[in-house]
Coordinates of all heavy atoms in Angstrom, one line a residue:
A806 N -19.1 -73.2 8.3 CA -19.0 -74.1 9.5 C -17.9 -73.6 10.4 O -16.7 -73.4 10.0 CB -18.7 -75.5 9.2
D807 N -18.2 -73.3 11.7 CA -17.3 -72.9 12.7 C -16.4 -71.7 12.3 O -15.2 -71.8 12.4 CB -16.4 -74.1 13.1 CG -16.0 -74.0 14.6 OD1 -16.2 -73.0 15.2 OD2 -15.5 -75.1 15.1
C808 N -17.0 -70.7 11.9 CA -16.3 -69.5 11.5 C -16.6 -68.2 12.3 O -16.4 -67.1 11.9 CB -16.6 -69.2 10.0 SG -16.0 -70.4 8.8
L809 N -17.2 -68.4 13.5 CA -17.6 -67.3 14.3 C -16.7 -67.0 15.5 O -17.1 -66.2 16.3 CB -19.1 -67.6 14.9 CG -20.1 -68.1 13.8 CD1 -21.4 -68.3 14.5 CD2 -20.1 -67.3 12.6
F810 N -15.5 -67.6 15.6 CA -14.7 -67.5 16.8 C -14.2 -66.1 17.0 O -14.2 -65.6 18.2 CB -13.5 -68.4 16.6 CG -12.7 -68.5 17.9 CD1 -13.1 -69.3 18.9 CD2 -11.5 -67.8 18.0 CE1 -12.3 -69.4 20.0 CE2 -10.7 -67.9 19.1 CZ -11.1 -68.7 20.1
F811 N -13.8 -65.4 16.0 CA -13.1 -64.1 16.2 C -14.0 -62.9 15.9 O -14.7 -62.8 14.9 CB -11.9 -64.0 15.3 CG -10.8 -64.9 15.7 CD1 -10.6 -66.1 15.1 CD2 -10.0 -64.6 16.8 CE1 -9.6 -67.0 15.5 CE2 -9.0 -65.5 17.3 CZ -8.8 -66.7 16.6
D812 N -14.0 -62.0 16.9 CA -14.9 -60.8 16.8 C -14.5 -60.0 15.6 O -15.4 -59.4 15.0 CB -14.7 -59.9 18.1 CG -15.1 -60.6 19.3 OD1 -15.8 -61.6 19.2 OD2 -14.7 -60.2 20.4
E813 N -13.3 -59.9 15.2 CA -12.8 -59.0 14.2 C -13.4 -59.3 12.8 O -13.6 -58.4 12.0 CB -11.3 -59.0 14.1 CG -10.5 -58.5 15.3 CD -10.4 -59.5 16.4 OE1 -10.9 -60.7 16.2 OE2 -9.9 -59.1 17.5
A814 N -13.8 -60.6 12.6 CA -14.3 -61.0 11.3 C -15.8 -61.0 11.2 O -16.4 -61.2 10.1 CB -13.8 -62.4 11.0
R815 N -16.5 -60.7 12.3 CA -17.9 -60.9 12.4 C -18.7 -60.1 11.3 O -19.5 -60.6 10.5 CB -18.5 -60.6 13.8 CG -20.0 -60.8 13.9 CD -20.4 -60.5 15.4 NE -19.7 -61.4 16.3 CZ -19.0 -60.9 17.3 NH1 -18.8 -59.7 17.5 NH2 -18.4 -61.8 18.1
S816 N -18.5 -58.8 11.3 CA -19.2 -57.9 10.4 C -18.9 -58.2 9.0 O -19.8 -58.1 8.1 CB -19.0 -56.4 10.7 OG -17.6 -56.1 10.5
D817 N -17.7 -58.5 8.7 CA -17.3 -58.8 7.3 C -17.9 -60.1 6.8 O -18.3 -60.2 5.7 CB -15.8 -59.0 7.2 CG -15.1 -57.6 7.4 OD1 -15.7 -56.6 7.0 OD2 -13.9 -57.6 7.9
L818 N -18.0 -61.1 7.7 CA -18.7 -62.4 7.3 C -20.1 -62.2 7.0 O -20.7 -62.7 6.1 CB -18.4 -63.4 8.4 CG -19.1 -64.8 8.1 CD1 -18.7 -65.4 6.8 CD2 -18.8 -65.8 9.3
V819 N -20.8 -61.4 7.9 CA -22.2 -61.1 7.7 C -22.4 -60.4 6.4 O -23.3 -60.7 5.6 CB -22.7 -60.2 8.9 CG1 -24.1 -59.7 8.6 CG2 -22.8 -61.0 10.2
E820 N -21.6 -59.4 6.1 CA -21.7 -58.6 4.9 C -21.5 -59.5 3.6 O -22.2 -59.4 2.6 CB -20.8 -57.4 4.9 CG -21.0 -56.5 3.7 CD -22.4 -55.8 3.8 OE1 -22.9 -55.5 4.9 OE2 -22.9 -55.6 2.7
T821 N -20.5 -60.4 3.7 CA -20.2 -61.3 2.6 C -21.3 -62.2 2.3 O -21.7 -62.4 1.1 CB -18.9 -62.1 2.9 OG1 -17.8 -61.2 3.1 CG2 -18.6 -63.0 1.7
I822 N -21.9 -62.8 3.4 CA -23.1 -63.7 3.2 C -24.2 -62.9 2.6 O -24.9 -63.3 1.6 CB -23.5 -64.3 4.5 CG1 -22.3 -65.3 5.0 CG2 -24.8 -65.1 4.4 CD1 -22.6 -65.9 6.4
Y823 N -24.5 -61.7 3.2 CA -25.6 -60.9 2.7 C -25.5 -60.5 1.2 O -26.4 -60.5 0.4 CB -25.8 -59.7 3.6 CG -27.1 -59.0 3.3 CD1 -28.2 -59.3 4.1 CD2 -27.3 -58.0 2.4 CE1 -29.5 -58.7 3.9 CE2 -28.5 -57.3 2.2 CZ -29.6 -57.7 3.0 OH -30.8 -57.1 2.7
G824 N -24.2 -60.1 0.9 CA -24.0 -59.6 -0.5 C -24.0 -60.7 -1.5 O -24.4 -60.4 -2.7
W825 N -23.8 -62.0 -1.2 CA -23.7 -63.1 -2.2 C -24.9 -64.0 -2.1 O -24.9 -65.0 -2.8 CB -22.4 -63.8 -2.0 CG -21.2 -63.1 -2.6 CD1 -21.3 -61.9 -3.3 CD2 -19.9 -63.4 -2.5 NE1 -20.0 -61.5 -3.7 CE2 -19.1 -62.4 -3.2 CE3 -19.2 -64.4 -1.9 CZ2 -17.7 -62.4 -3.3 CZ3 -17.8 -64.5 -1.9 CH2 -17.1 -63.5 -2.7

Side-chain angles (χ1 to χ4, degrees):
D807 212 347
C808 294
L809 313 185
F810 185 82
F811 290 100
D812 297 342
E813 294 82 3
R815 182 178 300 122
S816 62
D817 292 328
L818 179 56
V819 169
E820 188 65 36
T821 300
I822 294 173
Y823 193 89
W825 284 351

